[in-house]
Amino acid sequence: MIGDVLTQPPSLDALRERMRESLKGIVPDFEIDYKAELAHQINLLKKEMNAVILGHNYMEPALYQSVPDYVGDSLQLSAISAETEADVIVFCGVWFMGETAKVLNPKKTVLVPSNRAGCSLAEGISAKDVRGLKAQFPGAPVVTYVNTYAEVKAESDYCCTSGNANKVLKHLLDQGHKRIIFLPDQYLAHNTARELGVGFITAGIDDHDSIPADQPTVIGWDVRCEVHELFTVEDVNNVRRQYPDAVILAHPECSPEVIDSVDISGSTKAMVDYVEQTDAPMYALFTECSMGDNLAAQFPHREMVRSCSLRCRHMNQITLEDTLDGLRKLQYQVELPEDIIALAKKPIDRMLEIR
Ligand code: SF4
């Protein structure tokens, strides 16, 4: 879902009431009262500074429901950051997202409220690693998941998100490529290759010499999301046993075994769309838990199985306190070298074109 731009900040009373209504049963009232005051100050400052706040679906519910002008997944928010006319972009998400916004808006001030909001995927691969793979598989196009730092994107041909990974891979397969390097999430790469019916190997682990040259194959990397890799088939079976009517959705950063055991695999946007439109009596999500909280708040008339216990420690670095501090002190500003911005822009633009 993409929210409306907040042209005139609501009064503190109106904001508190709105938060109480939407966060009923999810956040206790005393916490809402405190957070509403912080959110009110953020909204006033945002207006004064001509700032726009982008909120990723994994933000904690009180923040998610109060200060973002737009909410969504990486792809939606990247597209918005490419078009915004605000002077300051505050990315309530992790650091690589702020970098993507900076590449698309090099002249604007881009802030991420915490400089400790990393990502196991982004930290699991370097530009040097990509150069090594390009040397090992000459001619193979490099697709990198948006969950990478700009120096890695700068070495890539295409970027993608979980929302358009299959379209980007299909685009390259249609061009006749037999080897495609897809980095860094091993599970997303494997799940997407399977969806398209092509082979998959992990660089440095599997023997690529044994694969026939004419067999389309995706070459992945040995890194996974530290949150989604923890979901197991047993978790899925437990939900099925207890809630046989529930439709189970999992993010494609989960293992192929988990994806095989659920009903639907989809990006965070696909999950939002599903919950918005479903007639299923009940649903369960296998993804970061704040997303479940946010969907429960957004669609209170749909019944969600509240079984999740996995939160992303990086996303959880982003708080209302830090967002307010970030605006007041103009911290933490994303800065990137000009050559990296120039090189990283091309694969990001391609990602935004293939949607
Ligand atoms: S949920 Fe996983 S992919 Fe997303 S920011 Fe956290 S570690 Fe990275």
Side-chain angles (χ1 to χ4, degrees):
M1 182 202 94
I2 298 176
D4 293 320
V5 177
L6 197 61
T7 46
Q8 193 56 47
S11 69
L12 174 56
D13 284 347
L15 180 63
R16 189 189 298 115
E17 275 322 297
R18 198 181 78 195
M19 290 172 71
R20 281 192 173 196
E21 182 61 33
S22 60
L23 297 169
K24 208 183 316 174
I26 296 168
V27 179
D29 279 356
F30 72 90
E31 195 179 321
I32 291 177
D33 292 350
Y34 165 70
K35 291 191 169 178
E37 294 212 12
L38 287 170
H40 183 59
Q41 291 177 54
I42 291 169
N43 287 337
L44 292 177
L45 205 49
K46 179 174 69 173
K47 175 100 177 125
E48 192 182 309
M49 296 168 68
N50 190 27
V52 65
I53 298 186
L54 309 179
H56 190 267
N57 288 328
Y58 291 171
M59 289 296 98
E60 63 100 355
L63 186 156
Y64 186 86
Q65 292 289 333
S66 60
V67 296
D69 300 294
Y70 298 95
V71 294
D73 66 6
S74 299
L75 187 57
Q76 290 171 297
L77 298 180
S78 299
I80 289 162
S81 75
E83 289 166 10
T84 183
E85 291 184 356
D87 297 321
V88 179
I89 299 169
V90 182
F91 216 124
C92 287
V94 291
W95 196 260
F96 72 78
M97 297 178 181
E99 285 196 348
T100 303
K102 184 69 181 177
V103 168
L104 292 167
N105 297 277
K107 294 203 179 347
K108 294 191 179 186
T109 302
V110 177
L111 307 177
V112 176
S114 168
N115 62 357
R116 288 173 294 148
C119 169
S120 65
L121 291 172
E123 275 138 39
I125 189 146
S126 67
K128 190 173 167 216
D129 293 327
V130 184
R131 286 193 289 273
L133 285 166
K134 288 200 284 195
Q136 195 181 351
F137 300 98
V142 178
V143 180
T144 51
Y145 194 21
V146 73
N147 298 32
T148 48
Y149 291 124
E151 60 158 29
V152 166
K153 292 185 174 85
E155 293 287 342
S156 310
D157 300 297
Y158 288 78
C159 286
C160 71
T161 68
S162 55
N164 72 348
N166 55 358
K167 288 186 186 153
V168 172
L169 275 191
K170 186 165 183 316
H171 173 75
L172 291 168
L173 290 165
D174 288 347
Q175 288 178 4
H177 290 285
K178 299 296 184 207
R179 299 284 183 271
I180 301 169
I181 299 169
F182 189 123
L183 307 167
D185 187 344
Q186 184 190 37
Y187 287 161
L188 177 66
H190 195 174
N191 288 325
T192 312
R194 291 188 327 153
E195 192 183 329
L196 294 172
V198 301
F200 175 80
I201 60 165
T202 305
I205 293 183
D206 300 316
D207 173 19
H208 66 271
D209 290 332
S210 60
I211 304 167
D214 62 347
Q215 181 182 312
T217 303
V218 170
I219 298 149
W221 190 243
D222 188 20
V223 167
R224 290 155 298 281
C225 162
E226 68 185 55
V227 176
H228 290 93
E229 71 173 346
L230 298 180
F231 291 110
T232 65
V233 174
E234 196 186 346
D235 295 333
V236 177
N237 291 341
N238 283 339
V239 171
R240 284 227 191 275
R241 249 191 316 273
Q242 293 178 61
Y243 305 96
D245 293 338
V247 173
I248 305 180
L249 296 89
H251 193 278
E253 289 169 10
C254 294
S255 73
E257 295 75 28
V258 167
I259 295 300
D260 282 345
S261 67
V262 300
D263 302 303
I264 297 169
S265 161
S267 66
T268 52
K269 179 182 183 304
M271 289 183 184
V272 176
D273 291 348
Y274 176 84
V275 176
E276 188 171 16
Q277 291 156 18
T278 185
D279 292 327
M282 201 179 271
Y283 70 94
L285 300 179
F286 281 74
T287 188
E288 209 272 352
C289 299
S290 297
M291 166 100 190
D293 291 337
N294 292 330
L295 278 183
Q298 200 176 332
F299 302 107
H301 50 295
R302 307 262 189 251
E303 197 173 348
M304 183 174 77
V305 178
R306 305 301 298 266
S307 61
C308 186
S309 62
L310 296 175
R311 295 196 186 269
C312 173
R313 66 192 168 105
H314 307 289
M315 292 283 186
N316 274 256
Q317 291 289 335
I318 309 297
T319 61
L320 283 165
E321 287 89 341
D322 287 340
T323 305
L324 181 57
D325 241 24
L327 277 168
R328 280 181 175 154
K329 299 177 187 167
L330 273 187
Q331 70 176 17
Y332 295 94
Q333 293 193 30
V334 179
E335 300 289 357
L336 291 168
E338 277 179 24
D339 58 330
I340 294 290
I341 288 178
L343 289 166
K345 188 164 185 316
K346 193 168 171 189
I348 293 172
D349 283 345
R350 285 173 164 173
M351 169 182 85
L352 295 173
E353 279 159 22
I354 304 176
R355 297 177 65 187

